[in-house]
Amino acid sequence: MGTDANAAGTAPIDLTKKGHACVRLEKDGRTLVIDPGGFSEQEAALGADALLVTHEHPDHFDELRLRAAMEANPEAQIWTLRSVAEKISGAFPGRVHTVGNGDTFEAAGFRVEVHGELHAVIHPDIPRITNIGFVVDGLVFHPGDALTVPERPVHTLLLPVHAPWNKFSEVLDYVRAVDPEQVWDVHDGLLNDNGLGLFGRMLGEGGPGTGGAEHGHLKPGERVRLAR
């Protein structure tokens, strides 16, 4: 999966699944980490040249993990929305950048686009917070805690497969709305093996399927190469 030639000329990206919603992307000797939160490994952010955080919930944003990565690499930088930047920017002047929907930037050699503005509704009694998603190198999209459909083609979707704010029919309809070529599960830290198996069947040949996208699941620490 994901080993065909890259028609756009972008170098392939090696994606390593970390705990829950965190992924590590590596290209040309540089590393970008998205959402190293409290359900991820303690070392999930270490070694990063760039860090992206989609929103402030602790399963996506863990200040201690970010601080460890920033202190280990004095050149590392963070790109995130205002609510997170306000919590950590004082400790790392000039190294924490606030971004929002529609912004584009380069982070450690990766081209990044920002899509989305709000977290999905958990319950009407719970105020909505801000949330942004990131398209990296025009190749892979991490939506954070939202079902954002970017106004651009998505090759590889990192799918938030299980959360208090979604149900399976919404997950499936979201994949079909984005219409990616391939899907890898994220946001699965609350699922046991039974739950992972069920979602795998429902998104695969044993269920309604994804509408044509190739679906896969990675265990923490497993790696796959992404290329067009």
Side-chain angles (χ1 to χ4, degrees), residues 126-142:
I126 301 175
R128 294 179 76 180
I129 62 171
T130 49
N131 177 97
I132 54 177
F134 300 104
V135 173
V136 180
D137 275 358
L139 181 60
V140 56
F141 179 49
H142 191 311

Side-chain angles (χ1 to χ4, degrees):
M1 180 180 294
T3 58
D4 50 320
N6 186 342
T10 302
I13 295 174
D14 288 328
L15 178 148
T16 301
K17 173 73 165 63
K18 305 302 286 184
H20 193 51
C22 181
V23 296
R24 292 174 67 93
L25 305 178
E26 297 173 87
K27 179 187 72 171
D28 297 333
R30 309 295 297 280
T31 299
L32 181 150
V33 175
I34 305 177
D35 281 2
F39 294 171
S40 305
E41 300 84 349
Q42 286 288 340
E43 71 280 6
L46 292 179
D49 299 293
L51 299 120
L52 311 182
V53 181
T54 62
H55 66 288
E56 64 195 79
H57 282 163
D59 57 326
H60 295 254
F61 163 58
D62 182 86
E63 185 172 344
L64 293 180
R65 284 167 172 76
L66 290 179
R67 283 178 175 270
M70 296 287 277
E71 291 167 357
N73 179 3
E75 302 300 318
Q77 300 183 57
I78 297 171
W79 284 262
T80 187
L81 37 63
R82 185 174 304 278
S83 60
V84 171
E86 289 175 345
K87 299 177 187 296
I88 197 169
S89 59
F92 303 100
R95 298 171 62 192
V96 180
H97 311 281
T98 300
V99 294
N101 183 46
D103 288 341
T104 60
F105 57 92
E106 183 171 305
F110 295 86
R111 293 179 292 106
V112 184
E113 305 169 11
V114 183
H115 295 266
E117 298 181 81
L118 290 173
H119 192 287
V121 175
I122 301 172
H123 187 275
D125 290 351
I126 301 175
R128 294 179 76 180
I129 62 171
T130 49
N131 177 97
I132 54 177
F134 300 104
V135 173
V136 180
D137 275 358
L139 181 60
V140 56
F141 179 49
H142 191 311
D145 275 6
L147 301 179
T148 302
V149 179
E151 294 182 358
R152 53 118 60 234
V154 171
H155 180 278
T156 301
L157 174 65
L158 301 181
L159 178 66
V161 70
H162 177 261
W165 47 266
N166 68 19
K167 59 183 180 180
F168 175 74
S169 62
E170 295 170 337
V171 170
L172 177 56
D173 288 345
Y174 175 57
V175 174
R176 293 178 176 180
V178 175
D179 192 27
E181 293 187 32
Q182 61 182 9
V183 176
W184 292 103
D185 296 338
V186 293
H187 215 285
D188 53 7
L190 297 179
L191 290 173
N192 60 19
D193 289 343
N194 291 330
L196 292 171
L198 174 62
F199 276 91
R201 289 191 298 275
M202 293 293 281
L203 291 167
E205 295 181 359
T210 59
E214 193 172 356
H215 170 258
H217 178 81
L218 297 172
K219 296 179 181 178
E222 290 187 329
R223 176 179 296 192
V224 66
R225 173 155 291 189
L226 305 179
R228 299 186 197 280

